[in-house]
Amino acid sequence: MAAELFKVMETDDIKSEPTLDTTILNQLKKLIQTYTSHEDKFELDQVSLDSNDILFEQGAESDCMFWILSGQLEVSTTRDDGSKQIIKILTSDSPVGEMGLLSHLPRTATITALEKSQLLRITINDIIKCSTFDEHFLIRLNKLAASRWHNLFLANCLKELFGNLPVDALQELQDQLEWINISNGETLFQEGDEADGVYIIISGHLRAKVSTENGDQQTIGELGPAEFVGEYALITDEPRSATIYAVRHSSVVKMNLELLNRYIYTDPTLMRKIARTVITRQKQLLHPKNRTEIKHRTFTLIRHGQTSAIHELARTLASLIDENGNTLVLDSQSFDNFFGQQGVAQSPIDTPIQPVIAARLSELENRYKFIIFIADKENSAWTKRAIGQSDRVLIIADSEADPSISAIEKTLKNDVTQIRRDLVLLHPVETETPSGTAAWLELRNVSTHYHLRKGDPTHMARLARRLTGRAVGLICSGGGARGYAQLGTYKAILELDIPIDYIAGTSMGAISAGTIACDYSYKKGQELAQYCADLGVTDLTLPLASIAASKNVSQICQHIYGSRLIEDLWTPFFCISSNLTKAERVVHQHGSLWRAVRASMSIPGVFLPIVENGDVLVDGGVMDNYPVQLMQDIAESTRLIGVNVNPYIERSVTFDYDTSLSGWRILLNRLNPFSRKLRAPSIMGTILRSLDVNSMKTTKETASLLEVNITPDIRRFTMNDYAKWKTISECGYNESYDLLKDWKNKQTDI
């Protein structure tokens, strides 16, 4: 029977059905008539309700539907805040409960009798029997359920935007809104189009892009359910200011100008809400730190080659993403089971029942906090459907396999939607350090990559946090020898067992961050600190190109990191340098680790700059000494820990000179043990001080983005006190431990 019914789904007459709800009602009426004349063929129980009796509650199991013979019933939902939202009033000759029956999912709403009511209880067996009278019956019933799901989603979104509307007003608004389904890659409207209404996102994920001066397209925002779209043009009375397209399959409703003006007239608060949306988005454009990104909720796992155990990986990931079990793992077979018919998952993307399938997927997304789709091995209809429903695609590959691009990836490569895609490399249990990552990254355009040691629960937990915006980022500022305080912070992190999912640094902070990213022990960190102190960083030379010959600082970086590549680190790392040729910040996320750190700490005038591809790279503190904002963007998280070792500057300093001072006088003064020492700045001290002043304003602005801002009081140490690393490190530890302990105690998933 299921196979026969599925064939019916592909017929054109279903696509062109003009009176869907009426047809369903008529068919159900036929069922009732058949029941009354052939009671022996059906076993329909009658249900009697008094006023205020509850037929079923939201969240209850679904095993049947009902037909209202007489009376009135209220359909309501309970929101997360506990408030009640009345969706609709049902009267006689209406079905109720078909959504739960057909989806095999808990009830979506609570049904309460408003007066004495009589109903018939109808099981799935009865539905199948009814379909013998009309082979299209079950498909029509599915479409009716899809329509009601849409209305349920719409009601929830309208409550978010309009507050509690009276039932009659809600129903009136629902009836006049235009439903629009957009497949992934399709455009809702183009930049420059005439504004003819405002849109409300019901489900899915939209992206806003604008044209730049050089003709490129720049992403300016991500949009999700219960958000207005196109409101700016209506207020300014100008053409559309951006192009809006669907990242994945999405549903929106359109309020035309006439309807919008009518509701603004009857409810002035609507205009205030629209204006508030416009102002908020303009603030986000002007101040990127205030921008709120859409949270990814749907993921698709794609096998690369013969990668095995993908189902096991998905189940493990699901348990870590949400410990409450509110994450669904969905492959083609399990979707068929949810839909109630075999073969639906593999139906063509342009099938006439695609709106029904989309509604069912939206219903699942509405019920579950996260969904993990498992694509087929081949580029099947289910694979395309899963990708089209995803916020994020994960390419799962064995690190030892051939890195060539698979057939599915080739399809993604040409995908105009630019769905975010990440690479997950699985490593054997015995792997100490990843290798060969560059070969994988050169062939594919991915947003980021992850290294997972098979069977390592810490690595899986890290992936789960990174996917759900809960990653923990550590940022280390520049500050010369004061940066050894960050070694003390690392000791506290290890003792408190705090996971670090991303790490970054600038200048001396780059050395600290790189050491931590290499997964060195604290003892190893101490040994490296002593090595630096013994060798010294300032091998002075004739100051024609720089104060230091820079051989020592290069040797230190090579000694610490060897031949490691940034992309081969277990923990994602980046550091900052400043490009003097192009006057821009450089973010090092690939290539030689030691060269990146060396560039980041190349203090202008003190150390020789690094030259790469004709560009002169110097200390990152020139551009960004404390890259907190950048970490928030890269990690896509607000769980940030910062260690600022340079928050204090002594502004009041007395020197023994006016506008000039002879270097010979300083030298003779220092050689004479009986003379009063002249108070004069050193060359290096002045250079370092200038970097400090340049970064102070930015440091203050970014500190507000941190959940833990560690600022050790190490003012008594200079930036050249490398020999005092032990004491400085202890200060960092003492300052960090209690702060980090208090923070960790507030976390629920660490």
Side-chain angles (χ1 to χ4, degrees):
M1 172 63 76
E4 294 176 357
L5 288 173
F6 177 66
K7 291 179 181 178
V8 174
M9 297 180 192
E10 307 303 323
T11 62
D12 290 336
D13 83 311
I14 298 297
K15 184 192 296 186
S16 60
E17 180 65 60
T19 55
L20 181 62
D21 285 15
T22 302
T23 302
I24 289 296
L25 296 180
N26 289 335
Q27 294 300 319
L28 285 172
K29 287 177 181 179
K30 284 184 180 180
L31 186 150
I32 306 304
Q33 294 168 1
T34 304
Y35 160 71
T36 56
S37 59
H38 302 282
E39 296 187 19
D40 58 323
K41 295 183 180 180
F42 295 88
E43 298 179 357
L44 302 184
D45 298 325
Q46 288 203 30
V47 178
S48 298
L49 299 176
D50 290 327
S51 180
N52 296 321
D53 281 354
I54 295 176
L55 179 63
F56 53 74
E57 292 186 331
Q58 182 178 347
E61 293 186 3
S62 305
D63 59 355
C64 65
M65 62 174 289
F66 299 88
W67 178 264
I68 306 174
L69 297 173
S70 63
Q72 283 191 332
L73 287 88
E74 175 190 87
V75 183
S76 66
T77 60
T78 302
R79 302 297 302 273
D80 293 337
D81 60 4
S83 63
K84 178 181 177 181
Q85 172 69 35
I86 300 175
I87 305 299
K88 196 172 184 179
I89 305 298
L90 299 177
T91 58
S92 58
D93 288 338
S94 298
V96 60
E98 78 285 350
M99 295 166 60
L101 176 65
L102 296 173
S103 67
H104 307 284
L105 293 173
R107 299 295 190 185
T108 59
T110 297
I111 307 298
T112 307
L114 298 179
E115 60 186 30
K116 279 185 172 292
S117 303
Q118 292 287 325
L119 303 94
L120 283 177
R121 183 177 180 271
I122 304 169
T123 67
I124 190 64
N125 289 330
D126 299 319
I127 297 296
I128 293 175
K129 289 178 182 178
C130 189
S131 66
T132 62
F133 301 109
D134 183 348
E135 59 181 356
H136 297 168
F137 176 74
L138 185 58
I139 307 307
R140 292 191 179 104
L141 190 60
N142 261 302
K143 287 192 173 185
L144 176 62
S147 173
R148 291 198 168 174
W149 276 322
H150 280 146
N151 285 335
L152 180 61
F153 303 151
L154 175 59
N156 290 334
C157 290
L158 292 179
K159 178 174 173 59
E160 291 284 342
L161 298 171
F162 296 88
N164 287 311
L165 289 174
V167 180
D168 54 348
L170 176 64
Q171 188 60 57
E172 181 185 6
L173 184 56
Q174 289 178 336
D175 293 341
Q176 297 183 74
L177 293 172
E178 178 186 354
W179 277 91
I180 301 173
N181 292 312
I182 320 171
S183 299
N184 52 313
E186 289 186 352
T187 299
L188 181 62
F189 54 74
Q190 295 274 359
E191 183 178 0
D193 287 352
E194 182 181 352
D196 58 351
V198 66
Y199 299 85
I200 300 171
I201 304 173
I202 306 304
S203 65
H205 179 175
L206 304 183
R207 182 171 292 156
K209 286 194 170 188
V210 296
S211 301
T212 62
E213 293 181 355
N214 59 10
D216 295 332
Q217 291 286 303
Q218 179 184 356
T219 299
I220 61 170
E222 308 279 337
L223 306 169
E227 288 196 70
F228 286 115
V229 182
E231 75 291 334
Y232 184 77
L234 293 179
I235 290 183
T236 60
D237 198 25
E238 297 177 352
R240 301 293 189 189
S241 59
T243 296
I244 306 294
Y245 70 94
V247 176
R248 60 181 174 90
H249 186 89
S250 306
S251 294
V252 303
V253 291
K254 179 181 179 181
M255 295 183 69
N256 60 42
L257 287 177
E258 181 182 353
L259 180 62
L260 181 64
N261 290 330
R262 187 162 74 247
Y263 267 84
I264 290 175
Y265 180 78
T266 57
D267 184 9
T269 61
L270 175 58
M271 178 53 82
R272 289 202 299 269
K273 292 173 182 176
I274 295 176
R276 191 181 300 119
T277 300
V278 172
I279 294 171
T280 300
R281 289 177 177 170
Q282 289 301 306
K283 285 183 177 179
Q284 291 172 352
L285 289 174
L286 293 173
H287 304 286
K289 69 178 183 179
N290 298 323
R291 191 172 300 165
T292 54
E293 299 291 340
I294 188 170
K295 299 298 182 183
H296 296 156
R297 298 180 58 240
T298 56
F299 312 94
T300 293
L301 307 187
I302 294 176
R303 299 173 179 86
H304 176 277
Q306 300 301 313
T307 302
S308 59
I310 194 168
H311 283 79
E312 181 182 352
L313 187 149
R315 286 191 294 270
T316 303
L317 188 59
S319 65
L320 293 169
I321 284 179
D322 186 59
E323 295 180 351
N324 297 320
N326 200 18
T327 298
L328 176 66
V329 177
L330 203 61
D331 60 9
S332 59
Q333 183 59 56
S334 57
F335 180 71
D336 283 351
N337 295 337
F338 271 109
F339 201 89
Q341 292 175 277
Q342 296 300 306
V344 174
Q346 300 295 356
S347 61
I349 299 298
D350 58 352
T351 177
I353 65 159
Q354 176 57 31
V356 184
I357 296 173
R360 190 63 54 84
L361 287 169
S362 296
E363 165 64 8
L364 291 173
E365 187 176 334
N366 192 54
R367 289 191 171 275
Y368 292 92
K369 191 174 181 180
F370 301 99
I371 297 179
I372 300 175
F373 296 99
I374 300 177
D376 295 330
K377 292 182 179 180
E378 65 281 351
N379 195 25
S380 64
W382 168 250
T383 296
K384 296 175 182 177
R385 183 165 279 118
I387 293 174
Q389 199 71 18
S390 295
D391 295 321
R392 198 163 181 172
V393 171
L394 304 182
I395 303 165
I396 314 297
D398 286 320
S399 62
E400 299 176 319
D402 182 352
S404 300
I405 295 181
S406 65
I408 298 177
E409 289 185 82
K410 289 179 181 178
T411 304
L412 283 173
K413 192 174 182 180
N414 300 323
D415 186 7
V416 297
T417 66
Q418 300 179 6
I419 296 175
R420 171 162 178 158
R421 60 212 71 166
D422 302 336
L423 175 65
V424 180
L425 292 174
L426 306 178
H427 299 269
V429 176
E430 65 275 8
T431 304
E432 293 185 2
T433 304
S435 62
T437 310
W440 289 87
L441 298 178
E442 287 172 2
L443 295 175
R444 45 186 54 80
N445 181 23
V446 295
S447 299
T448 189
H449 67 280
Y450 313 93
H451 293 295
L452 267 68
R453 186 188 285 115
K454 294 178 181 178
D456 191 328
T458 61
H459 286 193
M460 286 296 298
R462 171 179 290 171
L463 176 60
R465 289 191 297 271
R466 292 173 69 182
L467 291 178
T468 55
R470 299 176 293 159
V472 180
L474 176 64
I475 308 100
C476 300
S477 79
R482 293 172 174 174
Y484 284 123
Q486 294 154 353
L487 180 61
T489 300
Y490 182 44
K491 179 183 179 183
I493 287 172
L494 291 174
E495 290 182 358
L496 294 168
D497 196 24
I498 295 175
I500 300 298
D501 303 313
Y502 288 88
I503 185 163
T506 298
S507 195
M508 186 64 182
I511 289 187
S512 302
T515 302
I516 299 171
C518 289
D519 287 333
Y520 288 146
S521 65
Y522 175 68
K523 183 179 180 181
K524 178 69 172 179
Q526 289 179 306
E527 294 173 357
L528 293 173
Q530 187 61 54
Y531 175 85
C532 296
D534 293 341
L535 183 64
V537 298
T538 52
D539 46 342
L540 299 179
T541 185
L542 188 64
L544 298 177
S546 60
I547 295 174
S550 307
K551 179 180 178 181
N552 285 9
V553 69
S554 295
Q555 183 176 328
I556 287 171
C557 292
Q558 289 175 308
H559 178 79
I560 296 174
Y561 309 118
S563 59
R564 286 182 174 84
L565 300 178
I566 296 174
E567 58 266 32
D568 287 336
L569 296 172
W570 290 114
T571 305
F573 163 90
F574 70 86
C575 65
I576 304 298
S577 69
S578 303
N579 189 324
L580 295 187
T581 307
K582 298 177 179 178
E584 62 185 22
R585 179 181 65 182
V586 180
V587 183
H588 298 270
Q589 292 180 284
H590 303 91
S592 170
L593 177 56
W594 85 263
R595 285 186 64 86
V597 173
R598 169 68 173 81
S600 182
M601 59 182 302
S602 298
I603 303 170
V606 178
F607 301 119
L608 285 171
I610 291 289
V611 179
E612 286 191 354
N613 301 320
D615 294 334
V616 179
L617 307 183
V618 299
D619 194 289
V622 174
M623 293 289 186
D624 192 352
N625 195 53
Y626 201 26
V628 176
Q629 177 65 68
L630 182 60
M631 173 63 85
Q632 187 183 65
D633 295 339
I634 290 177
E636 299 178 295
S637 175
T638 59
R639 299 172 84 180
L640 305 181
I641 301 169
V643 191
N644 185 5
V645 298
N646 208 26
Y648 308 104
I649 295 181
E650 296 293 339
R651 301 192 180 188
S652 178
V653 182
T654 303
F655 294 127
D656 292 322
Y657 72 98
D658 184 16
T659 58
S660 63
L661 182 64
S662 169
W664 293 109
R665 181 186 173 191
I666 296 174
L667 178 60
L668 292 172
N669 177 263
R670 292 178 178 175
L671 293 175
N672 187 350
F674 303 104
S675 64
R676 184 182 67 84
K677 299 303 178 186
L678 288 173
R679 291 168 294 184
S682 66
I683 297 176
M684 185 176 294
T686 300
I687 294 173
L688 293 174
R689 189 179 177 85
S690 67
L691 293 177
D692 294 343
V693 173
N694 183 55
S695 66
M696 277 191 67
K697 185 175 183 262
T698 304
T699 297
K700 288 181 179 180
E701 291 175 350
T702 57
S704 61
L705 302 177
L706 295 165
E707 289 193 356
V708 185
N709 188 26
I710 301 170
T711 55
D713 189 357
I714 45 181
R715 284 174 285 186
R716 64 185 184 275
F717 303 103
T718 71
M719 293 187 178
N720 296 320
D721 283 336
Y722 292 97
K724 299 178 182 179
W725 68 266
K726 288 184 180 178
T727 308
I728 298 173
S729 175
E730 289 173 0
C731 290
Y733 173 81
N734 294 332
E735 197 77 30
S736 303
Y737 187 89
D738 288 340
L739 287 173
L740 291 172
K741 184 179 180 181
D742 290 343
W743 176 81
K744 183 182 179 182
N745 289 337
K746 297 175 183 176
Q747 311 306 307
T748 58
D749 60 338
I750 293 181

